């Protein structure tokens, strides 16, 4: 609860607030990892679709440029004429005359049966293929909200365990805050021992000489770096020009 231990600005980024609709920093890291796992599936799907289109293009070129049509025509005429009016001529006309024949042949054929008949995928089929992957990516974005219910469900069934977890978190925050203040004191002390740069001295002189420039040349908090506001507290040491925001102070 906020009344028990108000969180500092640096500490709020490591917690998840269930009532906040925005995706928060701890959830963002998990969500990015889940989305990165979808990249191999996306690459595999693009490879399969590209291979399908490539094979279809090759087969379509073969179908349109390898078509051959054959046309075969032949004509056969046989006519035997026997002249004369004798008995032998009549006999020959009756026997050899049966050999007279006339035949016209015309054949047309092609290799259409042997050619491939490719059928390309439509846009709807491509969309249906990519739809499961899109649904998976959408679930990776939406899953952060159902995951927030895990703590509430666990606290409902195990209230004593929830109380233990809250006490552990409270003590952990106190230890981290103590170490944080110790580290920040050391950092500020080291920063104070260093001589100020030329730009810092020029900025201080301008602020002292022309107070109306403070709105444009605002200082920042020594610890967190937030821009200067009326709530910022200067260091009580007159020789120190450090400035602290309300939380850090």
């Amino acid at each position: 609860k906020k009344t028990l231990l108000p969180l500092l600005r640096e500490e709020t980024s490591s917690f998840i607030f269930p009532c906040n609709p925005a995706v928060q920093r701890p959830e963002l890291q998990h969500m990015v990892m889940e989305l990165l796992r979808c990249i191999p599936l996306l690459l595999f799907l693009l490879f399969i679709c590209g291979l399908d289109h490539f094979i279809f293009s090759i087969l379509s070129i073969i179908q349109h440029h390898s078509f051959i049509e054959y046309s075969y025509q032949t004509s056969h005429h046989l006519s035997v004429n026997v002249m004369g009016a004798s008995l032998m001529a009549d006999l020959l006309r009756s026997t050899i005359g049966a050999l007279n024949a006339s035949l016209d042949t015309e054949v047309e054929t092609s290799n259409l049966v042997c050619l491939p008949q490719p059928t390309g995928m439509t846009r709807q089929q491509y969309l249906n293929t990519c739809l499961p992957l899109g649904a998976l990516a959408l679930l990776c974005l939406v899953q952060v909200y159902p995951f927030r219910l895990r703590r509430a469900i666990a606290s409902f069934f195990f209230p004593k365990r929830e109380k233990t977890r809250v006490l552990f978190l409270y003590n952990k925050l106190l230890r981290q805050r103590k170490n944080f203040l110790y580290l920040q004191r050391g950092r500020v002390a080291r920063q104070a021992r260093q001589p100020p740069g030329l730009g810092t001295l020029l900025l201080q002189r301008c602020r002292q000489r022309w107070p109306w420039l403070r709105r444009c040349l605002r200082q920042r908090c020594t610890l967190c770096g937030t821009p200067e506001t009326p709530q910022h507290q200067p260091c009580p040491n007159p020789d120190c020009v450090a400035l602290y925001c309300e939380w850090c102070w």
Side-chain angles (χ1 to χ4, degrees):
K1 295 184 178 181
K2 295 183 179 180
T3 56
L4 180 63
L5 181 64
L7 297 176
L8 300 178
R9 185 179 293 105
E10 293 79 10
E11 296 172 345
T12 54
S13 60
S14 60
F15 287 91
I16 299 175
F17 299 92
C19 298
N20 189 1
V23 179
Q24 300 167 50
R25 185 175 179 180
E27 298 173 328
L28 185 62
Q29 296 176 356
H30 182 72
M31 184 181 65
V32 170
M33 292 301 298
E34 294 293 335
L35 290 176
L36 290 177
R37 294 178 183 178
C38 297
I39 293 180
L41 296 176
L42 177 61
L43 297 178
F44 177 74
L45 184 62
L46 293 177
F47 172 75
I48 292 298
C49 292
L51 183 63
D52 174 78
H53 181 72
F54 176 72
I55 295 177
F56 169 75
S57 301
I58 292 179
L59 295 180
S60 180
I61 292 174
I62 294 175
Q63 180 188 15
H64 289 87
H65 296 278
S66 299
F67 177 74
I68 301 176
E69 186 177 8
Y70 301 91
S71 180
Y72 176 74
Q73 295 180 356
T74 181
S75 179
H76 177 72
H77 298 281
L78 178 61
S79 178
V80 179
N81 295 324
V82 180
M83 308 300 294
S86 61
L87 180 61
M88 183 59 68
D90 294 337
L91 181 60
L92 291 175
R93 274 194 294 269
S94 61
T95 55
I96 301 178
L99 299 176
N100 295 339
S102 179
L103 180 63
D104 294 328
T105 304
E106 183 176 356
V107 179
E108 292 184 359
T109 185
S110 64
N111 63 341
L112 183 62
V113 181
C114 302
L115 293 178
Q117 304 294 331
T119 303
M121 293 178 62
T122 61
R123 292 184 178 180
Q124 185 64 32
Q125 291 174 337
Y126 278 115
L127 182 61
N128 294 337
T129 305
C130 300
L131 191 60
L133 184 60
L136 180 61
L138 182 61
L139 288 176
C140 294
L141 299 176
V142 180
Q143 70 176 355
V144 295
Y145 300 104
F147 280 177
R148 294 180 183 180
L149 300 176
R150 295 179 296 180
R151 189 204 62 83
I153 296 173
S155 63
F156 177 78
F157 288 101
F158 305 98
K160 294 183 179 181
R161 185 67 175 177
E162 175 68 11
K163 183 178 180 180
T164 305
R165 293 180 69 250
V166 172
L167 292 176
F168 173 79
L169 179 61
Y170 180 77
N171 295 325
K172 179 182 177 182
L173 279 176
L174 291 179
R175 290 193 301 268
Q176 289 180 351
R177 188 170 295 183
K178 182 179 180 181
N179 295 331
F180 174 77
L181 293 177
Y182 177 77
L183 293 176
Q184 292 300 328
R185 286 194 186 99
R187 186 175 69 86
V188 172
R190 289 191 300 270
Q191 186 177 355
R193 297 190 192 99
Q194 297 178 358
L198 180 61
T200 305
L201 292 176
L202 182 62
L203 182 62
Q204 294 175 3
R205 295 289 177 85
C206 293
R207 287 170 56 88
Q208 294 174 0
R209 187 175 183 85
W210 298 289
W212 56 272
L213 287 178
R214 293 184 178 181
R215 294 182 179 181
C216 302
L217 304 176
R218 293 191 300 175
Q219 285 184 303
R220 291 182 175 273
C221 176
T222 308
L223 291 179
C224 61
T226 55
E228 180 183 1
T229 60
Q231 287 75 24
H232 279 55
Q233 298 288 338
C235 181
N237 188 355
D239 297 333
C240 182
V241 294
L243 192 68
Y244 302 93
C245 65
E246 184 179 3
W247 287 97
C248 297
W249 181 254

